[in-house]
CSV table of all heavy atoms in Angstrom, one decimal:
chain,number,residue,atom,x,y,z
A,85,THR,N,-73.8,-3.3,-81.8
A,85,THR,CA,-75.3,-3.2,-81.7
A,85,THR,C,-75.7,-3.8,-80.4
A,85,THR,O,-75.0,-4.5,-79.7
A,85,THR,CB,-76.0,-4.0,-82.8
A,85,THR,OG1,-75.8,-5.4,-82.7
A,85,THR,CG2,-75.6,-3.4,-84.2
A,86,TYR,N,-77.0,-3.5,-80.0
A,86,TYR,CA,-77.6,-4.2,-78.9
A,86,TYR,C,-79.0,-4.8,-79.4
A,86,TYR,O,-79.8,-4.1,-80.0
A,86,TYR,CB,-77.9,-3.3,-77.7
A,86,TYR,CG,-78.7,-4.1,-76.6
A,86,TYR,CD1,-78.0,-4.8,-75.7
A,86,TYR,CD2,-80.1,-4.0,-76.6
A,86,TYR,CE1,-78.6,-5.5,-74.7
A,86,TYR,CE2,-80.7,-4.8,-75.6
A,86,TYR,CZ,-80.0,-5.5,-74.7
A,86,TYR,OH,-80.7,-6.2,-73.7
A,87,PRO,N,-79.2,-6.1,-79.3
A,87,PRO,CA,-78.2,-7.1,-78.8
A,87,PRO,C,-77.1,-7.4,-79.8
A,87,PRO,O,-77.3,-7.0,-81.0
A,87,PRO,CB,-79.1,-8.3,-78.5
A,87,PRO,CG,-80.2,-8.2,-79.5
A,87,PRO,CD,-80.5,-6.8,-79.7
A,88,ASN,N,-76.1,-8.0,-79.4
A,88,ASN,CA,-75.0,-8.3,-80.4
A,88,ASN,C,-74.7,-9.8,-80.4
A,88,ASN,O,-75.1,-10.6,-79.5
A,88,ASN,CB,-73.7,-7.6,-79.9
A,88,ASN,CG,-73.1,-8.1,-78.6
A,88,ASN,OD1,-73.6,-7.8,-77.5
A,88,ASN,ND2,-72.1,-8.9,-78.7
A,89,LEU,N,-74.0,-10.2,-81.5
A,89,LEU,CA,-73.5,-11.5,-81.7
A,89,LEU,C,-72.0,-11.6,-81.4
A,89,LEU,O,-71.5,-10.6,-80.9
A,89,LEU,CB,-73.8,-12.0,-83.1
A,89,LEU,CG,-75.3,-12.0,-83.4
A,89,LEU,CD1,-75.5,-12.5,-84.9
A,89,LEU,CD2,-76.1,-13.0,-82.5
A,90,HIS,N,-71.4,-12.6,-81.8
A,90,HIS,CA,-69.9,-12.8,-81.5
A,90,HIS,C,-69.1,-11.6,-82.0
A,90,HIS,O,-68.1,-11.3,-81.3
A,90,HIS,CB,-69.4,-14.1,-82.1
A,90,HIS,CG,-69.9,-15.4,-81.5
A,90,HIS,ND1,-71.1,-15.5,-80.9
A,90,HIS,CD2,-69.3,-16.6,-81.4
A,90,HIS,CE1,-71.3,-16.7,-80.4
A,90,HIS,NE2,-70.2,-17.4,-80.7
A,91,MET,N,-69.4,-11.1,-83.1
A,91,MET,CA,-68.6,-10.0,-83.7
A,91,MET,C,-69.1,-8.6,-83.3
A,91,MET,O,-68.7,-7.6,-83.8
A,91,MET,CB,-68.7,-10.1,-85.3
A,91,MET,CG,-68.1,-11.4,-85.8
A,91,MET,SD,-66.4,-11.6,-85.3
A,91,MET,CE,-66.6,-12.9,-84.0
A,92,GLY,N,-70.0,-8.6,-82.4
A,92,GLY,CA,-70.5,-7.3,-81.9
A,92,GLY,C,-71.7,-6.7,-82.6
A,92,GLY,O,-72.2,-5.6,-82.3
A,93,TYR,N,-72.2,-7.5,-83.6
A,93,TYR,CA,-73.2,-6.9,-84.5
A,93,TYR,C,-74.3,-8.0,-84.8
A,93,TYR,O,-74.0,-9.2,-84.9
A,93,TYR,CB,-72.6,-6.5,-85.9
A,93,TYR,CG,-73.5,-6.1,-87.0
A,93,TYR,CD1,-74.0,-4.8,-87.1
A,93,TYR,CD2,-73.9,-7.0,-87.9
A,93,TYR,CE1,-74.9,-4.4,-88.1
A,93,TYR,CE2,-74.8,-6.7,-88.9
A,93,TYR,CZ,-75.3,-5.4,-89.0
A,93,TYR,OH,-76.1,-5.0,-90.0
A,94,GLU,N,-75.5,-7.5,-84.8
A,94,GLU,CA,-76.7,-8.3,-85.3
A,94,GLU,C,-77.4,-7.5,-86.4
A,94,GLU,O,-77.8,-6.4,-86.2
A,94,GLU,CB,-77.6,-8.6,-84.1
A,94,GLU,CG,-79.0,-9.0,-84.5
A,94,GLU,CD,-79.1,-10.2,-85.3
A,94,GLU,OE1,-78.6,-11.3,-84.9
A,94,GLU,OE2,-79.6,-10.1,-86.4
A,95,HIS,N,-77.5,-8.2,-87.5
A,95,HIS,CA,-78.1,-7.5,-88.7
A,95,HIS,C,-79.5,-6.9,-88.4
A,95,HIS,O,-79.9,-5.8,-88.9
A,95,HIS,CB,-78.1,-8.4,-89.9
A,95,HIS,CG,-78.6,-7.8,-91.2
A,95,HIS,ND1,-77.9,-6.8,-91.8
A,95,HIS,CD2,-79.7,-8.1,-91.9
A,95,HIS,CE1,-78.6,-6.5,-92.9
A,95,HIS,NE2,-79.7,-7.2,-93.0
A,96,LYS,N,-80.3,-7.6,-87.7
A,96,LYS,CA,-81.7,-7.2,-87.4
A,96,LYS,C,-81.8,-6.1,-86.3
A,96,LYS,O,-82.8,-5.5,-86.1
A,96,LYS,CB,-82.5,-8.4,-87.0
A,96,LYS,CG,-82.7,-9.4,-88.2
A,96,LYS,CD,-83.5,-10.6,-87.7
A,96,LYS,CE,-83.6,-11.7,-88.8
A,96,LYS,NZ,-84.3,-12.9,-88.4
A,97,ALA,N,-80.7,-5.9,-85.6
A,97,ALA,CA,-80.8,-5.0,-84.4
A,97,ALA,C,-80.9,-3.5,-84.9
A,97,ALA,O,-80.3,-3.2,-85.9
A,97,ALA,CB,-79.5,-5.1,-83.6
A,98,LYS,N,-81.6,-2.7,-84.2
A,98,LYS,CA,-81.8,-1.3,-84.5
A,98,LYS,C,-81.0,-0.4,-83.7
A,98,LYS,O,-80.5,0.7,-84.1
A,98,LYS,CB,-83.3,-0.9,-84.4
A,98,LYS,CG,-84.2,-1.6,-85.4
A,98,LYS,CD,-84.0,-1.1,-86.8
A,98,LYS,CE,-85.0,-1.7,-87.8
A,98,LYS,NZ,-84.8,-1.2,-89.1
A,99,ARG,N,-80.7,-0.8,-82.4
A,99,ARG,CA,-80.0,0.0,-81.5
A,99,ARG,C,-78.5,-0.2,-81.6
A,99,ARG,O,-78.0,-1.3,-81.5
A,99,ARG,CB,-80.5,-0.3,-80.0
A,99,ARG,CG,-79.8,0.5,-79.0
A,99,ARG,CD,-80.3,0.1,-77.6
A,99,ARG,NE,-79.5,0.7,-76.5
A,99,ARG,CZ,-79.4,0.2,-75.3
A,99,ARG,NH1,-80.2,-0.8,-74.9
A,99,ARG,NH2,-78.7,0.8,-74.4
A,100,PHE,N,-77.8,0.9,-81.7
A,100,PHE,CA,-76.3,0.9,-81.9
A,100,PHE,C,-75.7,1.5,-80.6
A,100,PHE,O,-76.2,2.5,-80.1
A,100,PHE,CB,-75.9,1.7,-83.1
A,100,PHE,CG,-75.9,0.9,-84.4
A,100,PHE,CD1,-77.0,0.2,-84.7
A,100,PHE,CD2,-74.9,1.0,-85.2
A,100,PHE,CE1,-77.1,-0.5,-85.9
A,100,PHE,CE2,-74.9,0.3,-86.5
A,100,PHE,CZ,-76.0,-0.4,-86.8
A,101,LEU,N,-74.6,0.8,-80.1
A,101,LEU,CA,-73.9,1.3,-79.0
A,101,LEU,C,-72.7,2.2,-79.5
A,101,LEU,O,-72.0,2.8,-78.7
A,101,LEU,CB,-73.4,0.2,-78.1
A,101,LEU,CG,-74.5,-0.8,-77.6
A,101,LEU,CD1,-73.8,-1.9,-76.8
A,101,LEU,CD2,-75.5,0.0,-76.8
A,102,GLY,N,-72.4,2.1,-80.8
A,102,GLY,CA,-71.2,2.8,-81.3
A,102,GLY,C,-70.5,2.0,-82.3
A,102,GLY,O,-71.1,1.1,-83.0
A,103,PHE,N,-69.2,2.2,-82.4
A,103,PHE,CA,-68.3,1.5,-83.4
A,103,PHE,C,-67.1,1.1,-82.7
A,103,PHE,O,-66.5,1.8,-81.9
A,103,PHE,CB,-68.0,2.4,-84.6
A,103,PHE,CG,-69.2,3.0,-85.3
A,103,PHE,CD1,-69.6,4.3,-84.9
A,103,PHE,CD2,-69.9,2.3,-86.2
A,103,PHE,CE1,-70.8,4.8,-85.5
A,103,PHE,CE2,-71.1,2.8,-86.8
A,103,PHE,CZ,-71.5,4.1,-86.5
A,104,THR,N,-66.6,-0.2,-83.0
A,104,THR,CA,-65.4,-0.7,-82.4
A,104,THR,C,-64.4,-1.0,-83.6
A,104,THR,O,-64.8,-0.9,-84.7
A,104,THR,CB,-65.7,-2.0,-81.6
A,104,THR,OG1,-66.3,-3.0,-82.5
A,104,THR,CG2,-66.5,-1.7,-80.4
A,105,HIS,N,-63.2,-1.3,-83.2
A,105,HIS,CA,-62.1,-1.2,-84.2
A,105,HIS,C,-61.3,-2.4,-84.4
A,105,HIS,O,-60.2,-2.4,-85.0
A,105,HIS,CB,-61.2,0.0,-83.8
A,105,HIS,CG,-61.9,1.3,-83.9
A,105,HIS,ND1,-62.8,1.7,-83.0
A,105,HIS,CD2,-61.8,2.3,-84.9
A,105,HIS,CE1,-63.3,2.9,-83.4
A,105,HIS,NE2,-62.7,3.2,-84.5
A,106,ASN,N,-61.7,-3.5,-83.9
A,106,ASN,CA,-61.2,-4.8,-84.3
A,106,ASN,C,-62.1,-6.0,-83.9
A,106,ASN,O,-63.0,-5.8,-83.0
A,106,ASN,CB,-59.8,-5.1,-83.7
A,106,ASN,CG,-59.8,-5.1,-82.2
A,106,ASN,OD1,-60.8,-4.8,-81.5
A,106,ASN,ND2,-58.6,-5.4,-81.6
A,107,ARG,N,-62.0,-7.1,-84.5
A,107,ARG,CA,-62.8,-8.3,-84.2
A,107,ARG,C,-62.1,-9.4,-84.9
A,107,ARG,O,-61.5,-9.3,-86.0
A,107,ARG,CB,-64.2,-8.1,-84.6
A,107,ARG,CG,-64.5,-8.1,-86.1
A,107,ARG,CD,-65.6,-7.1,-86.4
A,107,ARG,NE,-65.1,-5.7,-86.2
A,107,ARG,CZ,-65.7,-4.9,-85.4
A,107,ARG,NH1,-66.7,-5.3,-84.6
A,107,ARG,NH2,-65.2,-3.7,-85.2
A,108,PHE,N,-62.2,-10.6,-84.4
A,108,PHE,CA,-61.7,-11.8,-85.0
A,108,PHE,C,-62.8,-12.5,-85.7
A,108,PHE,O,-63.6,-13.2,-85.0
A,108,PHE,CB,-61.0,-12.8,-84.1
A,108,PHE,CG,-59.9,-13.6,-84.7
A,108,PHE,CD1,-58.6,-13.6,-84.2
A,108,PHE,CD2,-60.2,-14.4,-85.8
A,108,PHE,CE1,-57.6,-14.4,-84.8
A,108,PHE,CE2,-59.2,-15.1,-86.4
A,108,PHE,CZ,-57.9,-15.1,-85.9
A,109,GLU,N,-63.0,-12.4,-87.0
A,109,GLU,CA,-64.2,-12.8,-87.7
A,109,GLU,C,-64.4,-14.3,-87.6
A,109,GLU,O,-63.5,-15.1,-87.9
A,109,GLU,CB,-64.1,-12.4,-89.2
A,109,GLU,CG,-64.1,-10.9,-89.5
A,109,GLU,CD,-65.5,-10.3,-89.4
A,109,GLU,OE1,-66.5,-11.1,-89.3
A,109,GLU,OE2,-65.6,-9.1,-89.4
A,110,GLY,N,-65.7,-14.6,-87.3
A,110,GLY,CA,-66.2,-15.9,-87.4
A,110,GLY,C,-65.8,-16.9,-86.3
A,110,GLY,O,-66.1,-18.1,-86.4
A,111,VAL,N,-65.1,-16.4,-85.2
A,111,VAL,CA,-64.6,-17.4,-84.2
A,111,VAL,C,-65.6,-17.6,-83.1
A,111,VAL,O,-66.6,-16.9,-82.9
A,111,VAL,CB,-63.3,-16.9,-83.6
A,111,VAL,CG1,-62.3,-16.8,-84.7
A,111,VAL,CG2,-63.5,-15.6,-82.9
A,112,GLY,N,-65.4,-18.6,-82.3
A,112,GLY,CA,-66.3,-19.0,-81.2
A,112,GLY,C,-65.9,-18.3,-79.9
A,112,GLY,O,-65.4,-17.2,-79.9
A,113,CYS,N,-66.3,-19.0,-78.8
A,113,CYS,CA,-66.1,-18.4,-77.5
A,113,CYS,C,-66.8,-17.1,-77.3
A,113,CYS,O,-66.3,-16.1,-76.6
A,113,CYS,CB,-64.6,-18.3,-77.1
A,113,CYS,SG,-63.8,-19.8,-76.8
A,114,GLN,N,-67.9,-16.9,-78.1
A,114,GLN,CA,-68.7,-15.7,-78.0
A,114,GLN,C,-68.0,-14.5,-78.6
A,114,GLN,O,-68.4,-13.3,-78.3
A,114,GLN,CB,-69.3,-15.4,-76.6
A,114,GLN,CG,-70.2,-16.6,-76.1
A,114,GLN,CD,-70.7,-16.3,-74.8
A,114,GLN,OE1,-70.7,-15.2,-74.3
A,114,GLN,NE2,-71.1,-17.4,-74.1
A,115,GLY,N,-66.9,-14.7,-79.3
A,115,GLY,CA,-66.3,-13.6,-80.0
A,115,GLY,C,-65.2,-12.9,-79.2
A,115,GLY,O,-65.0,-13.1,-78.0
A,116,SER,N,-64.3,-12.2,-80.0
A,116,SER,CA,-63.3,-11.4,-79.3
A,116,SER,C,-62.9,-10.2,-80.1
A,116,SER,O,-63.1,-10.2,-81.4
A,116,SER,CB,-62.1,-12.3,-79.0
A,116,SER,OG,-61.4,-12.7,-80.2
A,117,GLY,N,-62.3,-9.3,-79.5
A,117,GLY,CA,-61.9,-8.0,-80.1
A,117,GLY,C,-62.8,-6.9,-79.5
A,117,GLY,O,-63.0,-6.9,-78.3
A,118,GLY,N,-63.3,-6.0,-80.3
A,118,GLY,CA,-64.2,-5.0,-79.8
A,118,GLY,C,-63.5,-3.8,-79.1
A,118,GLY,O,-64.2,-3.2,-78.3
A,119,ASN,N,-62.3,-3.6,-79.4
A,119,ASN,CA,-61.5,-2.5,-78.7
A,119,ASN,C,-62.0,-1.2,-79.2
A,119,ASN,O,-62.4,-1.0,-80.4
A,119,ASN,CB,-60.0,-2.7,-78.9
A,119,ASN,CG,-59.5,-3.9,-78.1
A,119,ASN,OD1,-58.7,-4.7,-78.7
A,119,ASN,ND2,-59.8,-4.0,-76.9
A,120,ILE,N,-61.8,-0.1,-78.4
A,120,ILE,CA,-62.0,1.3,-78.7
A,120,ILE,C,-63.4,1.5,-79.2
A,120,ILE,O,-63.7,1.6,-80.4
A,120,ILE,CB,-61.0,1.8,-79.7
A,120,ILE,CG1,-59.5,1.4,-79.3
A,120,ILE,CG2,-61.1,3.3,-79.8
A,120,ILE,CD1,-58.5,1.9,-80.2
A,121,LEU,N,-64.4,1.5,-78.3
A,121,LEU,CA,-65.8,1.9,-78.6
A,121,LEU,C,-65.9,3.4,-78.8
A,121,LEU,O,-65.6,4.1,-77.9
A,121,LEU,CB,-66.7,1.3,-77.6
A,121,LEU,CG,-68.2,1.7,-77.7
A,121,LEU,CD1,-68.8,1.0,-78.9
A,121,LEU,CD2,-69.0,1.5,-76.5
A,122,ILE,N,-66.4,3.8,-79.9
A,122,ILE,CA,-66.6,5.2,-80.2
A,122,ILE,C,-68.1,5.4,-80.5
A,122,ILE,O,-68.6,4.9,-81.5
A,122,ILE,CB,-65.7,5.8,-81.3
A,122,ILE,CG1,-64.3,5.7,-80.9
A,122,ILE,CG2,-66.1,7.2,-81.6
A,122,ILE,CD1,-63.3,6.2,-81.9
A,123,LYS,N,-68.8,6.2,-79.7
A,123,LYS,CA,-70.2,6.5,-80.0
A,123,LYS,C,-70.4,8.0,-80.2
A,123,LYS,O,-70.2,8.8,-79.4
A,123,LYS,CB,-71.1,6.1,-78.7
A,123,LYS,CG,-72.5,6.4,-78.9
A,123,LYS,CD,-73.3,6.3,-77.6
A,123,LYS,CE,-74.7,6.8,-77.7
A,123,LYS,NZ,-75.4,6.8,-76.4
A,124,PRO,N,-70.9,8.3,-81.4
A,124,PRO,CA,-71.2,9.7,-81.7
A,124,PRO,C,-72.5,10.1,-81.0
A,124,PRO,O,-73.4,9.3,-80.8
A,124,PRO,CB,-71.4,9.8,-83.2
A,124,PRO,CG,-71.9,8.4,-83.6
A,124,PRO,CD,-71.2,7.5,-82.6
A,125,PHE,N,-72.6,11.4,-80.6
A,125,PHE,CA,-73.9,11.9,-80.0
A,125,PHE,C,-74.2,13.3,-80.4
A,125,PHE,O,-73.3,14.0,-80.9
A,125,PHE,CB,-73.8,11.8,-78.4
A,125,PHE,CG,-72.8,12.8,-77.8
A,125,PHE,CD1,-73.2,14.1,-77.5
A,125,PHE,CD2,-71.6,12.3,-77.4
A,125,PHE,CE1,-72.3,15.0,-76.9
A,125,PHE,CE2,-70.7,13.2,-76.9
A,125,PHE,CZ,-71.0,14.5,-76.6
A,126,SER,N,-75.4,13.6,-80.4
A,126,SER,CA,-75.9,15.0,-80.7
A,126,SER,C,-76.8,15.5,-79.7
A,126,SER,O,-77.9,15.0,-79.5
A,126,SER,CB,-76.6,15.0,-82.1
A,126,SER,OG,-77.0,16.3,-82.5
A,127,GLY,N,-76.3,16.4,-78.8
A,127,GLY,CA,-77.1,17.0,-77.8
A,127,GLY,C,-77.0,16.3,-76.5
A,127,GLY,O,-76.6,16.9,-75.5
A,128,ASP,N,-77.3,15.0,-76.4
A,128,ASP,CA,-77.3,14.2,-75.2
A,128,ASP,C,-76.4,13.0,-75.4
A,128,ASP,O,-76.6,12.2,-76.3
A,128,ASP,CB,-78.7,13.8,-74.8
A,128,ASP,CG,-78.8,13.1,-73.5
A,128,ASP,OD1,-77.8,12.9,-72.9
A,128,ASP,OD2,-79.9,12.7,-73.2
A,129,VAL,N,-75.4,12.9,-74.5
A,129,VAL,CA,-74.5,11.7,-74.6
A,129,VAL,C,-75.2,10.4,-74.5
A,129,VAL,O,-74.9,9.4,-75.1
A,129,VAL,CB,-73.4,11.8,-73.5
A,129,VAL,CG1,-72.5,10.6,-73.5
A,129,VAL,CG2,-72.6,13.1,-73.6
A,130,LYS,N,-76.3,10.4,-73.7
A,130,LYS,CA,-77.0,9.2,-73.4
A,130,LYS,C,-78.1,8.9,-74.4
A,130,LYS,O,-78.8,7.8,-74.3
A,130,LYS,CB,-77.6,9.2,-72.0
A,130,LYS,CG,-76.6,9.3,-70.9
A,130,LYS,CD,-77.2,9.3,-69.5
A,130,LYS,CE,-76.2,9.4,-68.4
A,130,LYS,NZ,-76.8,9.4,-67.1
A,131,GLN,N,-78.2,9.7,-75.4
A,131,GLN,CA,-79.3,9.5,-76.4
A,131,GLN,C,-79.0,8.2,-77.2
A,131,GLN,O,-77.8,8.0,-77.6
A,131,GLN,CB,-79.3,10.7,-77.4
A,131,GLN,CG,-80.4,10.6,-78.4
A,131,GLN,CD,-80.4,11.7,-79.4
A,131,GLN,OE1,-79.3,12.0,-80.0
A,131,GLN,NE2,-81.5,12.4,-79.6
């Protein structure tokens, strides 16, 4: 999501950047993982 927290997600956020495929749950250093971002689109890639 945007904005995101350590795990790439904020529950209150509405805007999504896509989906990622790993994360180390609950850790510090502002998080880690987030490999392979996949964003679906319909009509416009930038939508």
Side-chain angles (χ1 to χ4, degrees):
T85 66
Y86 178 84
N88 67 280
L89 300 177
H90 288 29
M91 297 303 103
Y93 173 85
E94 160 58 61
H95 183 64
K96 295 178 181 178
K98 294 291 186 180
R99 180 184 169 196
F100 277 45
L101 305 180
F103 305 98
T104 57
H105 293 76
N106 62 353
R107 68 216 72 243
F108 208 126
E109 291 283 350
V111 300
C113 288
Q114 299 180 20
S116 67
N119 292 129
I120 311 177
L121 174 71
I122 297 179
K123 176 192 174 185
F125 66 85
S126 182
D128 183 0
V129 175
K130 296 182 179 180
Q131 183 184 50

